[in-house]
Amino acid sequence: MKATTKRLLAALLCGAMALGMTACGGSGDKDAAADTGAGDTAADAGDDAAAADAVTINVGYENAVTEPAAKACEKWKELVEEKSGGSIKLELFPNSTLGKKNDLIDQMLMGENVITVADGAFLADYGVKDFGFFYAPYAFESWDELWKVLDSDWYADLCDQLASTGGLRVLSSNWIYGARDILSIKPVHTPADLAGLKMRVSSNDLSTTSFEDLGATAVGMDMGDVYQAMSGGTIDAVENPITSLYNRSFQEVAKYLCKNEHILATSMWICGETFFSTLTEEQQQILMECADEAGLMNNDLYDEATAEAEQGMIDAGVTVYELTEEDKAAWVEAAQKFFEGATEAMGWTEGLYDTVKAIAAA
């Protein structure tokens, strides 16, 4: 059974036990409380004490409130506060209103009650280089492969390494961010079409190296600068999930979408290990189980949002290209150049590729 499924079943069992205990309370106790009025007073006092002792956690993320991830965060908040009996409260800060990711992580490392969202390429910079594997091109051929790896003992150990060496605790990894595709000003079907193409990538060594190995001229750039850069000819293409590309209106300045799905990306929600260790085991479990449960909601919403975004692109005049089997094989083969040098260039553990592929194929 998958680890995420186990955590969800455990959470539901805890909820059922709590309801059972409530339903089985003796009627004699209720009558006594009603006779004296002490029951209501004690309950009020208990509620006040719980509110005073509640742990408030600030959750900051870049997504707008209309996006699937933001809607799922609302669900996460609801689940946590309900299942913790009010002992944990989540304060949500969409649209980067709590601050940029780097600033939030600095706060985490100082012990602040903060949660934010990251990815494998980002977490690789915090002491565990092997996290970068999750942002390598064609690391996984399907979502099923990725879920196997994320639910494995190997991944659990990787998260523990990040907590002990990087001071960051991964709370949940099952939130789909999306399959990353290429939107460009000229048609792209195979890696050969990337020759001479100036491609916007995330500003990290992994993204730059992997796309250069695929054949593009990689340009590290903030997403907020892409629209102007592409309309002005500074770059020719950008890669991201369809929803992200569409929500930023890039279809207005680029008319060719190649659905090559070079990365199957999930979001990894993190907090500081110092803060995490101050929670009780029950609170830790609730926080993580509810995050996984909300992640399932995110994934359901994401499927619908992706379909709507793709149709919106088509309506805007974008030509959408689906890879043939021959095309896909060419992309996967081109990605091998990156993997051949990744152990040394990315600082990965020796044999990492074979280890992860064996888990994915199990």
Side-chain angles (χ1 to χ4, degrees):
M1 184 180 292
K2 292 184 178 181
T4 50
T5 304
K6 290 179 181 177
R7 293 213 293 259
L8 290 178
L9 288 176
L12 294 173
L13 180 59
C14 289
M17 290 174 64
L19 288 173
M21 291 173 64
T22 301
C24 293
S27 60
D29 292 341
K30 292 180 182 177
D31 292 342
D35 290 341
T36 62
D40 291 339
T41 303
D44 291 342
D47 290 342
D48 291 342
D53 295 337
V55 177
T56 299
I57 310 174
N58 295 327
V59 185
Y61 42 96
E62 300 169 350
N63 308 82
V65 293
T66 55
E67 294 184 52
K71 293 178 181 178
C73 279
E74 294 281 356
K75 183 65 173 179
W76 187 9
K77 171 183 171 68
E78 175 188 326
L79 290 169
V80 166
E81 295 181 359
E82 175 186 346
K83 294 184 178 182
S84 71
S87 73
I88 307 175
K89 294 187 179 298
L90 301 186
E91 294 293 336
L92 307 182
F93 296 87
N95 293 311
S96 299
T97 52
L98 192 62
K100 294 183 178 179
K101 195 187 309 291
N102 285 324
D103 294 334
L104 298 184
I105 291 182
D106 287 343
Q107 293 177 35
M108 291 178 196
L109 296 176
M110 292 188 291
E112 296 296 324
N113 302 8
V114 176
I115 290 173
T116 195
V117 63
D119 56 54
F122 196 90
L123 294 181
D125 291 336
Y126 286 85
V128 185
K129 297 294 186 181
D130 289 355
F131 263 101
F133 190 92
F134 292 96
Y135 249 59
Y138 299 100
F140 304 99
E141 295 186 21
S142 69
W143 288 105
D144 284 342
E145 280 194 359
L146 178 55
W147 299 138
K148 285 182 185 179
V149 174
L150 290 175
D151 282 343
S152 69
D153 291 338
W154 172 82
Y155 183 67
D157 289 341
L158 197 71
C159 292
D160 286 340
Q161 290 178 42
L162 183 67
S164 61
T165 64
L168 299 175
R169 171 60 62 178
V170 177
L171 301 173
S172 178
S173 304
N174 72 332
W175 296 50
I176 290 177
Y177 179 60
R180 298 177 78 104
D181 298 323
I182 297 173
L183 183 67
S184 56
I185 62 172
K186 66 177 184 178
V188 172
H189 297 169
T190 69
D193 297 325
L194 295 181
L197 200 74
K198 292 173 289 185
M199 168 82 68
R200 179 273 169 190
V201 300
S202 301
S203 298
N204 57 66
D205 290 341
L206 190 152
S207 296
T208 300
T209 301
S210 62
F211 266 95
E212 288 180 346
D213 285 343
L214 286 172
T217 299
V219 181
M221 182 182 295
D222 186 88
M223 280 289 278
D225 298 327
V226 169
Y227 189 102
Q228 183 175 355
M230 191 175 290
S231 61
T234 302
I235 59 173
D236 306 311
V238 57
E239 58 83 39
N240 238 267
I242 294 175
T243 51
S244 179
L245 298 171
Y246 180 72
N247 288 336
R248 293 176 180 272
S249 300
F250 294 157
Q251 66 275 9
E252 296 176 0
V253 292
K255 297 299 183 180
Y256 297 94
L257 177 70
C258 177
K259 295 179 64 177
N260 69 334
E261 299 186 344
H262 50 275
I263 297 173
L264 301 180
T266 65
S267 297
M268 298 169 179
W269 291 89
I270 58 174
C271 70
E273 178 66 7
T274 299
F275 161 67
F276 186 74
S277 64
T278 67
L279 301 175
T280 66
E281 285 190 17
E282 181 184 16
Q283 288 174 324
Q284 292 174 354
Q285 186 177 17
I286 288 172
L287 191 61
M288 298 174 76
E289 288 170 351
C290 292
D292 284 344
E293 188 171 346
L296 299 180
M297 174 184 174
N298 169 82
N299 298 350
D300 288 341
L301 293 173
Y302 187 86
D303 288 340
E304 181 179 353
T306 298
E308 291 177 355
E310 183 172 342
Q311 185 58 52
M313 284 193 166
I314 293 172
D315 293 343
V318 173
T319 299
V320 178
Y321 183 76
E322 300 270 1
L323 297 187
T324 65
E325 290 187 9
E326 185 178 354
D327 292 336
K328 180 65 175 289
W331 283 101
V332 173
E333 182 180 355
Q336 296 310 302
K337 179 180 179 182
F338 169 78
F339 284 111
E340 288 168 1
T343 299
E344 181 177 355
M346 299 292 108
W348 289 356
T349 300
E350 190 70 35
L352 177 64
Y353 181 88
D354 291 336
T355 296
V356 176
K357 283 299 184 180
I359 295 171

